[in-house]
Amino acid sequence: MSHRRRVAAILTAVLALAPAVLALPATAQAAPRTSVTTAVTDKLLGQTALTGRSAGPDETRVEVTREKGGRWAFGTAVVVAPRTEGAAPTGAVFVARAEGDGWTVAFDGEPAFADLAADSPVVTAEEKRIFASAGPTAAAEPLSPGDFVRPLTGGDYRTGMALPWSTGASWTMTGGPHQWDGASGPYSSVDFAGGDQAVRATRAGAAYTMCSGFVRVIHDRGYASDYYHLTGHVNANGTSVSQGTFLGNTGTNVACGGSATGRHVHFGLRQNNAYVPIADHGIGGWVFYSTGWYEGYAMHGSTTRYNGGALHNHGALGLTQGIVDANGGGSVNKRSGPGTGYAAVGSVADGTTVTVSCSRNGTTHQGRFGTTSLWNRLSDGTWISDAYLWTGYNGAVNGAC
Ligand SMILES: [Zn+2]
């Protein structure tokens, strides 16, 4: 079709829909009547599951950090915390698009957030990549359903995160699992202090300064990590960070609410726009467990640390790695094949990090978390029972052999 004929055809089509459609281009260019700040505030206040309580408009802090043509906006939306023990501010990174008189607003971790961000000219390519990374879904499938039932959990607890300080250093767990906001929600958060007091990103991602002393890093796989009470913190606006990038120092900063009796970082784990129980998740080579409010412990293999104990930051556990857990023993035999009928070809000490090449079923064994017939072939070609390996995943972490 020639250019002239195409124009004529389009004109004919438009005129056929007149007069209502002809008026559309003018209104579509008009600025929305509702301000983006109002739209974001309304959404924030409507999400009591996010804020943990019914907050008032005077408690919100919405900051538009990027804007384009009155049509797109991006920024942070925070509810400051009451001045009570354990409270902390919370909120979201948002992306908004003008639609008619109002705005379509999505918060980080919501499915709509990745979709809206993908279309937005104010979101960087690196942010779009991170936001689009899907999180772990439902419980992982064991190789042979029914062969392996882990009594405590059936999901995917691999975060790929280190602890929020330098790898190789030890800090103190000053408060076991508790809520992020001190009042509601799961026990998503742990308090740490010690060492050089320099708080660092637990995994690569995009960092955002939410509020004074409050930094969020959005990671891949739907995860985000929150850090509060920081002093001398970065001013981040989607800043690309690596695992170990400095975010701020531990402190007693309560500029955005809450209280702190001694310097620490209040560290929280989020997934898919919600705080999630930190229990059972692997972070820095440790698996966290909750026994009560601010009470719990962390395990690295059979090594257990309670409140006040020192946690050595082993760094991030790879998604196809595991930590040998001899269930109180000193080591686990390695075999030449997937079962105790194969020759022992060495042993591996409790707490050792190993890499899994693939898995298959063999003889059945009882470990700390239950009974399984799954065996893992390690990167050195030897095999150990999955009963003695913490991977954070109920099944084969690197496919079947
Ligand atoms: Zn805390």
Side-chain angles (χ1 to χ4, degrees):
M1 191 186 288
S2 74
H3 176 68
R4 282 178 73 154
R5 288 188 62 175
R6 189 183 306 131
V7 170
I10 291 168
L11 270 177
T12 303
V14 168
L15 287 171
L17 297 171
V21 172
L22 279 179
L24 261 184
T27 53
Q29 292 306 311
R33 277 198 286 272
T34 306
S35 79
V36 68
T37 300
T38 300
V40 172
T41 301
D42 287 350
K43 180 176 170 73
L44 185 62
L45 293 177
Q47 298 213 332
T48 51
L50 175 72
T51 61
R53 65 198 170 89
S54 295
D58 58 325
E59 298 173 278
T60 59
R61 305 281 184 273
V62 174
E63 189 177 351
V64 178
T65 58
R66 305 174 213 170
E67 190 276 336
K68 184 160 188 178
R71 316 305 302 168
W72 286 97
F74 187 96
T76 54
V78 168
V79 175
V80 298
R83 304 264 170 211
T84 54
E85 183 187 352
T90 187
V93 175
F94 73 84
V95 60
R97 180 174 63 197
E99 306 271 3
D101 289 345
W103 295 81
T104 296
V105 180
F107 286 171
D108 69 279
E110 295 178 331
F113 183 75
D115 293 341
L116 206 54
D119 291 338
S120 176
V122 299
V123 177
T124 69
E126 172 68 1
E127 288 175 307
K128 289 175 183 178
R129 185 189 66 75
I130 294 167
F131 301 159
S133 172
T137 52
E141 289 291 324
L143 282 182
S144 299
D147 278 350
F148 180 31
V149 178
R150 188 179 167 193
L152 292 179
T153 57
D156 187 342
Y157 296 89
R158 301 173 295 172
T159 65
M161 294 182 192
L163 285 163
W165 59 86
S166 291
T167 298
S170 295
W171 284 23
T172 302
M173 180 164 69
T174 58
H178 51 284
Q179 305 99 329
W180 175 261
D181 70 2
S184 67
Y187 289 179
S188 59
S189 306
V190 178
D191 294 341
F192 299 110
D196 62 1
Q197 307 285 2
V199 176
R200 299 179 183 279
T202 54
R203 182 170 173 83
Y208 302 87
T209 300
M210 306 293 290
C211 199
S212 177
F214 176 17
V215 174
R216 171 170 298 169
V217 181
I218 300 176
H219 309 283
D220 58 357
R221 302 176 77 242
Y223 280 110
S225 52
D226 280 8
Y227 313 77
Y228 189 50
H229 298 313
L230 303 183
T231 57
H233 57 79
V234 296
N235 281 312
N237 176 13
T239 311
S240 180
V241 298
S242 305
Q243 187 250 303
T245 297
F246 175 79
L247 300 178
N249 296 297
T250 62
T252 55
N253 188 349
V254 291
C256 284
S259 71
T261 51
R263 72 181 298 177
H264 69 280
V265 59
H266 176 58
F267 170 77
L269 183 67
R270 291 172 61 83
Q271 193 175 23
N272 302 333
N273 191 41
Y275 291 100
V276 292
I278 198 167
D280 290 329
H281 286 88
I283 300 175
W286 294 86
V287 187
F288 289 84
Y289 299 97
S290 172
T291 56
W293 192 53
Y294 278 96
E295 292 181 4
Y297 57 96
M299 296 191 75
H300 172 76
S302 299
T303 301
T304 306
R305 293 281 186 267
Y306 293 88
N307 274 359
L311 269 60
H312 179 91
N313 187 1
H314 294 273
L317 187 70
L319 301 183
T320 60
Q321 290 187 313
I323 300 164
V324 174
D325 182 344
N327 198 12
S331 66
V332 173
N333 281 334
K334 300 198 286 187
R335 300 277 172 176
S336 63
T340 46
Y342 292 88
V345 288
S347 66
V348 58
D350 185 275
T352 303
T353 297
V354 296
T355 299
V356 175
S357 297
C358 57
S359 307
R360 62 174 291 185
N361 285 309
T363 51
T364 299
H365 302 279
Q366 168 88 39
R368 188 182 303 282
F369 301 105
T371 300
T372 179
S373 58
L374 195 68
W375 280 69
N376 302 297
R377 191 170 80 195
L378 308 182
S379 53
D380 67 358
T382 65
W383 295 75
I384 68 169
S385 165
D386 200 57
Y388 306 114
L389 190 66
W390 189 92
T391 61
Y393 186 77
N394 188 5
V397 293
N398 203 14
C401 297

